Amino acid sequence: MKKTILYMTLSLALNLSPLSIFAQNAATNTPAPAASDAAAPKRAEPTLEQRVADLEAAHNNTARVADLTNNVSSKLGTYDEKSNTFSGSPDPGANAWQMTSAALVLFMTLPGLALFYGGLVRRKNVLSVMAQCFFITGMVTILWWICGYSLVFHNGGKFLGGLGFAFLNGVDSNVNGDYSYHVSHNVFSMYQLMFAIITPALIIGAIAERMKFSAICLFMTLWMFIVYFPQAHMIWGIDGFMNGVFNKDVGIHAIDFAGGTVVHMTSGWSALILCLILGKRIGFGKEPMPPHSMVLCMVGTGMLWVGWYGFNAGSAVAADVIAANAFTTTTLATAVASFVWPLAEWIVRGKPSVLGFCSGAVAGLVVITPACGFVTSTGAVIIGVCAGLVPWFFCWKVKSWFGYDDALDTFGVHAVGGTMGALLTGILARNAANGNLATNLKDYVTDSPTQRLVFEQIKAIGLTLVLAVVGTTVIAYIVKAVIGLRPTPEIETSGLDLSEHGEEGYHLEA
């Protein structure tokens, strides 16, 4: 009875004129057929049942198998006679969510990360950090247009994509069924661009206040080709070597929902290697180097947290139930970690610091990133506790034990957190959180802490480590040989703002 009423309602909505014409044009965002098209051969109209199935497919972010014998176009897709399959088309709601998510991820870098890092450095270097974030945004965007998007998301190989999308050729407002049935290809490309922007920007935190701007420009450009593009393709490319969810022919059956290995491990481990090669800041360990503005740091942290919903929930590439789960788990893990980190400080040092709250929140965001779309709420809470304790211990004790100058704790939070997140994803991934785990990974995700996925995640961690460490080492020594890495001691002492950019962040009256 309910189905009959639904069909009758849809029939009225779809067949009344001019309402039906308006609805069809609005759904496809194309003009009404011109009079000259009248002579063209008419294609068979889909039945009401088929239209309902199309609407259900769009609503559930899925494709449906066609039951037609001839090619038929409908509002939400095209049916191919030979393959007898459904090919999705852009959905306004899906596009709206994805464009919003893309804007949120860009918001994480500009101004979120710029303010977070800017507040943590000394006053004389605040503009240098912000300039580096802006440079990376522009540089990565240009590379993405030229070949970056193609190298990551075009098919062609297990370790790197082809050049079929170079200069965004063919990346238009239609869908690319490899990645979404209902989000426009160009919107998906812009969303993934924002991930490519923030990843090298994270490295800045470890080498802040002591690397030449020209050296950063060259290093980051080379790093995108040698580290980021291959890693992103291996994890997220449709034929990637470690895309365990969607590539049945993978070499490593790993999963990474929003970038634990692609973003945080690559940037964090690269940051450690680069800061070791670069050396310590002048005066490190001999003079205090406190953050110049915890207010900016706290504001930047809040922006990162808000933007991270686009980062994590947006990685579902749909406003669907998986995005809803990622939104929930991101909130839980972040809130728990932002509580646990300062609590640990309070216990061992007597006071909970604002920096502890900020660091805990960022650590929670980092650790939940690879897992957010694959774990339940309970798994998110476990991740939050781990995120609040393990990175805190590395930043508090391990850093002082080894004496490396990770200026803004990029290694302690992003490398350690991203690595731990990738491992915990293998332990805590559950079929109840994401039905896609029951396809190519049905033998690897068995809802057990010792499921086979754990060992696949360890393999992925190892490969990511090798790529980041070896790639960064090679690039750093190339840049050092060509233009040098550090400014003169006089410039570093006076600050990079004036020497590199001819400006000051603050003008204080006498």
Side-chain angles (χ1 to χ4, degrees):
M1 181 65 181
K2 290 182 178 179
K3 183 176 288 189
T4 302
I5 295 173
L6 175 62
Y7 287 165
M8 291 175 64
T9 303
L10 284 171
S11 180
L12 287 172
L14 291 171
N15 291 306
L16 286 176
S17 179
L19 182 60
S20 61
I21 297 175
F22 171 78
Q24 181 167 348
N25 293 335
T28 59
N29 198 26
T30 57
S36 60
D37 294 336
K42 290 185 177 181
R43 307 177 76 179
E45 283 295 319
T47 66
L48 184 58
E49 288 83 357
Q50 291 155 357
R51 290 185 178 185
V52 172
D54 292 347
L55 289 168
E56 290 176 342
H59 182 76
N60 295 317
N61 190 34
T62 60
R64 84 165 180 86
V65 178
D67 56 356
L68 304 178
T69 57
N70 298 310
N71 289 353
V72 177
S73 293
S74 77
K75 296 182 189 63
L76 299 175
T78 301
Y79 307 93
D80 183 80
E81 182 179 17
K82 294 181 180 179
S83 62
N84 201 37
T85 56
F86 170 83
S87 175
S89 62
D91 175 72
N95 269 349
W97 167 242
Q98 215 58 40
M99 288 186 284
T100 301
S101 295
L104 285 171
V105 181
L106 178 60
F107 185 68
M108 291 171 64
T109 304
L110 299 173
L113 188 68
L115 289 174
F116 177 70
Y117 278 173
L120 290 175
V121 298
R122 290 170 287 182
R123 182 169 61 88
K124 62 185 179 181
N125 294 311
V126 59
L127 289 184
S128 69
V129 169
M130 295 182 174
Q132 291 158 19
C133 288
F134 254 113
F135 162 76
I136 288 171
T137 302
M139 178 271 292
V140 172
T141 300
I142 294 169
L143 294 182
W144 199 246
W145 167 68
I146 294 172
C147 63
Y149 177 71
S150 190
L151 291 174
V152 175
F153 289 103
H154 196 278
N155 56 26
K158 292 184 177 181
F159 302 99
L160 202 61
L163 292 174
F165 295 144
F167 301 102
L168 296 186
N169 177 52
V171 182
D172 54 22
S173 294
N174 294 310
V175 300
N176 178 351
D178 286 343
Y179 301 104
S180 173
Y181 294 114
H182 304 293
V183 171
S184 292
H185 195 183
N186 48 14
V187 172
F188 176 78
S189 172
M190 292 300 99
Y191 175 71
Q192 291 295 339
L193 164 64
M194 306 313 171
F195 281 72
I197 287 172
I198 198 170
T199 305
L202 294 173
I203 299 174
I204 292 170
I207 50 88
E209 303 191 302
R210 65 192 190 278
M211 189 168 177
K212 293 194 300 186
F213 184 69
S214 58
I216 288 176
C217 293
L218 180 57
F219 176 88
M220 296 301 180
T221 302
L222 296 174
W223 189 86
M224 292 301 295
F225 284 97
I226 295 176
V227 179
Y228 185 83
F229 294 157
Q231 177 70 18
H233 178 76
M234 284 191 287
I235 290 290
W236 291 332
I238 191 63
D239 53 356
F241 184 71
M242 296 188 285
N243 188 347
V245 178
F246 296 112
N247 181 10
K248 62 182 179 62
D249 298 318
V250 292
I252 298 176
H253 294 77
I255 60 176
D256 186 345
F257 192 80
T261 58
V262 178
V263 177
H264 301 295
M265 278 195 67
T266 58
S267 63
W269 286 99
S270 294
L272 174 66
I273 299 303
L274 185 58
C275 87
L276 292 175
I277 295 173
L278 197 61
K280 302 174 184 179
R281 287 169 288 178
I282 295 174
F284 178 76
K286 300 177 182 178
E287 59 185 66
M289 297 180 179
H292 91 279
S293 176
M294 280 308 305
V295 173
L296 291 184
C297 176
M298 190 276 165
V299 171
T301 302
M303 291 177 173
L304 285 170
W305 190 338
V306 171
W308 222 290
Y309 287 114
F311 200 86
N312 282 3
S315 290
V317 198
D320 60 7
V321 293
I322 295 176
N325 186 74
F327 192 100
T328 301
T329 56
T330 297
T331 303
L332 290 171
T334 307
V336 170
S338 71
F339 179 87
V340 171
W341 186 305
L343 180 62
E345 285 186 330
W346 203 351
I347 293 172
V348 302
R349 300 173 64 180
K351 294 180 181 179
S353 69
V354 173
L355 179 57
F357 283 104
C358 292
S359 299
V362 175
L365 291 164
V366 168
V367 181
I368 192 61
T369 289
C372 60
F374 299 122
V375 300
T376 63
S377 297
T378 300
V381 172
I382 295 171
I383 285 174
V385 173
C386 295
L389 293 176
V390 178
W392 162 74
F393 186 77
F394 269 80
C395 295
W396 174 49
K397 280 295 184 183
V398 176
K399 181 178 175 180
S400 61
W401 288 345
F402 290 93
Y404 53 87
D405 186 9
D406 177 13
L408 310 183
D409 290 324
T410 300
F411 170 72
V413 173
H414 293 276
V416 173
T419 304
M420 181 173 65
L423 180 60
L424 289 174
T425 300
I427 296 172
L428 298 171
R430 296 293 180 265
N431 286 287
N434 193 321
N436 291 317
L437 294 173
T439 53
N440 294 325
L441 293 171
K442 62 182 179 180
D443 295 329
Y444 294 84
V445 181
T446 55
D447 295 345
S448 166
T450 57
Q451 56 197 357
R452 290 176 62 189
L453 180 64
V454 177
F455 305 100
E456 297 299 301
Q457 293 296 100
I458 292 173
K459 295 177 187 177
I461 289 170
L463 180 56
T464 304
L465 271 171
V466 171
L467 178 62
V469 170
V470 174
T472 300
T473 302
V474 172
I475 299 167
Y477 279 110
I478 289 174
V479 175
K480 185 176 183 179
V482 174
I483 60 175
L485 294 173
R486 295 187 70 148
T488 64
E490 293 76 17
I491 288 177
E492 184 177 332
T493 301
S494 64
L496 301 181
D497 288 359
L498 275 173
S499 61
E500 296 275 18
H501 307 289
E503 300 168 302
E504 290 182 282
Y506 308 95
H507 296 280
L508 302 178
E509 297 182 2

